[in-house]
Amino acid sequence: MIELQYLATEYNKLLGTSDFLVFLNTNKIPDDSNPKTICTLLALRMPFAINDADAETINVTITCDLIASDTEIRDKRLAMIKGILGWVGFQIHTPDGEIYNCDSFLEQQPSGNPRIDSGVMIQQITITGTCLVSNAQTGALVSNRIQTFINDDEVKLVSGTPTIQKGTDDVFNLSDTTSLTELFTISRTNTVEYTILYRGLDIDKTFIKILEGETDEIDQLFTVKRIYPWNPDYTFTNTMKLTGGNIIHQAGAFLTYHIILQKVEEEEDADT
């Protein structure tokens, strides 16, 4: 498991070492003579439930004591804090040669009113969330790191399920003494189901038009490329057709759509 001090140091780099100073499990006294914003990182470790997974979930809380007397600096550093929110992927290289993939998912909590602490007017900003940490060589892989492209547009998956179904034939070898049958594949179907966040890309609009029934071009071919961050990166590319889907329209939520694609033979491109 990673040393938490390495994680605190990396968050300090993400925030900006010239403006922030992150301490691990230490509450420093605010000091208006210090040009840097004092931050405290608290971490709760939750190792993965499977042995030797080389992965753990760390619940992270970062408190930043912004000095409120200088509103220009406060506003600048508030903007810098936004840089660590949401999903942020990074790597940590330790002095002993270990490399860890870190996937941070943080949210900013409502800030409290400015208060006097040790004679200094501060406003505390609290960031909470999780950081998934795994060994880059042998650890678990976070799905966010897999890139998906459809017709050269990178789509953002909410979820994805590649599937293979095989048609098989069992043959019993009468000349053998075993009772086991021989299994032969006579057909196979490769499909993927994607739930995609609509972002106004050309490919998003193409699928929305098809799902809304605004076009008859429902048999067009799509090139689907998946890039896994192995070492080196490994790419799977398939030619596919849409077989079904639906638009997920829910009040108060971002628009997403669900599609089912099936792999077809490459040479079909020449016949279409």
Side-chain angles (χ1 to χ4, degrees), residues 86-134:
W87 172 52
V88 180
F90 53 92
Q91 281 191 331
I92 293 178
H93 297 252
T94 67
D96 55 3
E98 293 287 346
I99 303 176
Y100 292 93
N101 288 330
C102 301
D103 293 88
S104 175
F105 303 87
L106 300 183
E107 299 176 350
Q108 181 174 333
Q109 303 302 315
S111 59
N113 293 324
R115 72 178 194 274
I116 299 295
D117 190 338
S118 303
V120 180
M121 178 70 73
I122 67 167
Q123 185 171 23
Q124 190 171 83
I125 304 299
T126 302
I127 310 298
T128 62
T130 59
C131 186
L132 306 183
V133 181
S134 62

Side-chain angles (χ1 to χ4, degrees), residues 93-189:
H93 297 252
T94 67
D96 55 3
E98 293 287 346
I99 303 176
Y100 292 93
N101 288 330
C102 301
D103 293 88
S104 175
F105 303 87
L106 300 183
E107 299 176 350
Q108 181 174 333
Q109 303 302 315
S111 59
N113 293 324
R115 72 178 194 274
I116 299 295
D117 190 338
S118 303
V120 180
M121 178 70 73
I122 67 167
Q123 185 171 23
Q124 190 171 83
I125 304 299
T126 302
I127 310 298
T128 62
T130 59
C131 186
L132 306 183
V133 181
S134 62
N135 190 295
Q137 282 77 34
T138 60
L141 174 65
V142 176
S143 297
N144 295 59
R145 290 181 176 264
I146 303 171
Q147 295 177 278
T148 303
F149 295 82
I150 304 180
N151 289 0
D152 296 326
D153 280 337
E154 184 176 8
V155 296
K156 298 301 181 182
L157 296 190
V158 178
S159 63
T161 310
T163 304
I164 184 171
Q165 292 180 321
K166 295 171 57 177
T168 60
D169 187 18
D170 291 337
V171 177
F172 185 68
N173 189 349
L174 296 176
S175 63
D176 204 344
T177 57
T178 180
S179 60
L180 293 175
T181 59
E182 295 183 17
L183 186 65
F184 295 96
T185 299
I186 58 177
S187 66
R188 62 184 171 90
T189 303

Side-chain angles (χ1 to χ4, degrees), residues 150 203-211 222 242 257 259:
I150 304 180
I203 194 64
D204 291 331
K205 296 176 182 177
T206 296
F207 283 123
I208 292 295
K209 289 179 181 178
I210 294 174
L211 296 174
F222 297 97
L242 181 72
Y257 58 95
I259 57 173

Side-chain angles (χ1 to χ4, degrees), residues 43-108:
L44 172 64
R45 318 184 77 136
M46 295 185 295
F48 202 78
I50 298 176
N51 287 340
D52 301 323
D54 279 342
E56 60 182 321
T57 299
I58 300 177
N59 286 341
V60 173
T61 299
I62 302 175
T63 55
C64 303
D65 291 331
L66 295 178
I67 295 177
S69 57
D70 191 326
T71 56
E72 182 178 352
I73 293 179
R74 181 202 62 188
D75 292 344
K76 170 194 171 185
R77 292 180 181 176
L78 275 173
M80 296 173 71
I81 288 173
K82 290 192 301 183
I84 68 170
L85 301 181
W87 172 52
V88 180
F90 53 92
Q91 281 191 331
I92 293 178
H93 297 252
T94 67
D96 55 3
E98 293 287 346
I99 303 176
Y100 292 93
N101 288 330
C102 301
D103 293 88
S104 175
F105 303 87
L106 300 183
E107 299 176 350
Q108 181 174 333

